[in-house]
Amino acid sequence: MRIIRFLDGEQKWLAAVTDDEQAYRLPQADFITLIHQSREQGISPVQLVESALKPVNRLTEDWTSLHFINPIDAPEVWAAGVTYQRSREARNYEATDGKLDANTFYDKVYDAERPEIFFKSTAARTVGPNEAVTLRSDSTWQIPEPELGLVITSDGSIVGYIVGNDMSCRDIEGENPLYLPQAKIWRSSCAIGPAIRLAETVANPYDLDIVCEIYRDSKVVVNSEASTSELNRKLDELVSFLARDNDLFDGTVLLTGTNIVPPNDFTLQPGDRIEITISGIGTLVNPVISNR
């Protein structure tokens, strides 16, 4: 069961999409209201959604043609780093000017008990499906980072899964790890969407396929696939470290790291289009523009 949000005129609507690709309008104003109401009624989110799957609520138009907007206004987006071997290798490459036989602090954090967790974005800096992500003006080596995102509540519960794009500047982070915030945070440097998969409907979050395609002049210039089975951390473990001595807000998103990194000679350009697909959730599409 997936939850989407769309615009009809100026009105925002929530809808549920079933596994047989039927969409139904929901009465809740937003995703977190849906979660709160299910808890108040002592039922699961899926049970609450199923109560609205009636003919009168069915969307008769092709739901894929709706004007999708971000399925959740995440008050904060956090991210975990070096949680996959591919990410570890890429960070080492950046930090050592390509000396792949050198050990760095990235090797240490990959194996350490404490994961790397950093602040990524606010609601104002986060874009949704089909909205543009921007390139940082003082970087010449920029890439998307396709990631599985966790939608969590204030008590640390994982209530949904979402597709995330953690835009990154490889040259800035590689120059000095203390520059990480500048390599990660700028306007429109984070995208999430297009749907939230209710957590209870995912049998195994460590068995999801991730595909990233980047188009330039209508041609595919990057096409990479991976799986969450390669994750070096447990999802609950990442959430527990984020919650330590920290206030969590309902609807916070935690990106869980990337195992897809484009070739080292690749950098994004204005006019590119990024498509990130995670099985069972959907495809997040974002055009790329310059940062003005």
Side-chain angles (χ1 to χ4, degrees):
M1 188 79 71
R2 287 165 288 168
I3 306 300
I4 60 172
R5 192 164 57 150
F6 65 96
L7 276 180
D8 185 1
E10 296 184 357
Q11 180 68 43
K12 297 177 182 179
W13 293 96
L14 211 62
V17 179
T18 62
D19 288 341
D20 60 356
E21 300 299 320
Q22 301 299 315
Y24 297 82
R25 196 188 305 269
L26 297 175
Q28 290 79 21
D30 55 62
F31 181 76
I32 292 301
T33 298
L34 186 155
I35 298 299
H36 285 171
Q37 288 184 1
S38 71
R39 291 181 174 181
E40 290 168 359
Q41 296 180 31
I43 59 177
S44 71
V46 167
Q47 290 174 313
L48 181 60
V49 169
E50 287 177 341
S51 68
L53 303 187
K54 302 174 181 179
V56 67
N57 295 327
R58 184 172 173 178
L59 297 174
T60 55
E61 68 268 33
D62 177 12
W63 70 269
T64 62
S65 65
L66 295 171
H67 181 179
F68 295 112
I69 58 176
N70 219 321
I72 190 167
D73 296 319
E76 294 180 345
V77 179
W78 294 76
V82 201
T83 56
Y84 290 91
Q85 176 64 23
R86 181 67 186 94
S87 177
R88 176 189 196 178
E89 294 168 352
R91 303 294 84 81
N92 279 342
Y93 185 94
E94 299 156 9
T96 63
D97 293 325
K99 298 175 183 177
L100 297 179
D101 58 343
N103 290 324
T104 73
F105 50 86
Y106 292 113
D107 294 296
K108 293 182 179 180
V109 77
Y110 183 80
D111 295 319
E113 176 185 358
R114 182 186 297 274
E116 177 194 12
I117 295 180
F118 57 90
F119 188 77
K120 173 62 186 181
S121 190
T122 59
R125 294 183 179 89
T126 304
V127 301
N130 302 309
E131 294 182 316
V133 290
T134 64
L135 298 176
R136 191 177 174 102
S137 62
D138 57 355
S139 170
T140 59
W141 191 13
Q142 300 180 66
I143 62 168
E145 293 194 3
E147 308 193 13
L148 174 67
L150 313 177
V151 182
I152 58 181
T153 54
S154 58
D155 62 1
S157 299
I158 301 172
V159 293
Y161 299 101
I162 196 168
V163 182
N165 178 4
D166 170 20
M167 294 281 286
S168 300
C169 301
R170 296 189 69 182
D171 50 351
I172 294 178
E173 183 175 359
E175 182 178 350
N176 191 315
L178 297 181
Y179 296 159
L180 179 66
Q182 296 173 77
K184 292 289 188 178
I185 304 171
W186 65 92
R187 71 174 68 93
S188 303
S189 63
C190 178
I192 57 174
I196 298 172
R197 182 88 185 191
L198 290 174
E200 61 190 297
T201 69
V202 177
N204 183 5
Y206 305 101
D207 188 28
L208 301 177
D209 296 322
I210 304 176
V211 178
C212 179
E213 294 180 314
I214 303 175
Y215 291 81
R216 181 171 296 163
D217 298 326
S218 300
K219 297 180 180 179
V220 178
V221 291
V222 171
N223 187 341
S224 299
E225 300 182 16
S227 170
T228 57
S229 63
E230 302 162 20
L231 187 64
N232 190 46
R233 303 276 183 175
K234 295 299 183 183
L235 302 179
D236 289 339
E237 169 194 359
L238 294 174
V239 173
S240 71
F241 273 94
L242 175 60
R244 284 192 183 185
D245 299 296
N246 190 19
D247 292 325
L248 298 181
F249 304 100
D250 286 336
T252 292
V253 170
L254 173 58
L255 304 180
T256 57
T258 190
N259 55 348
I260 293 179
V261 180
N264 293 324
D265 60 356
F266 176 85
T267 187
L268 288 166
Q269 296 180 8
D272 289 352
R273 186 176 81 252
I274 305 165
E275 297 191 4
I276 301 171
T277 302
I278 299 183
S279 55
I281 302 176
T283 300
L284 175 63
V285 179
N286 299 104
V288 180
I289 62 174
S290 298
N291 204 337
R292 299 180 182 88

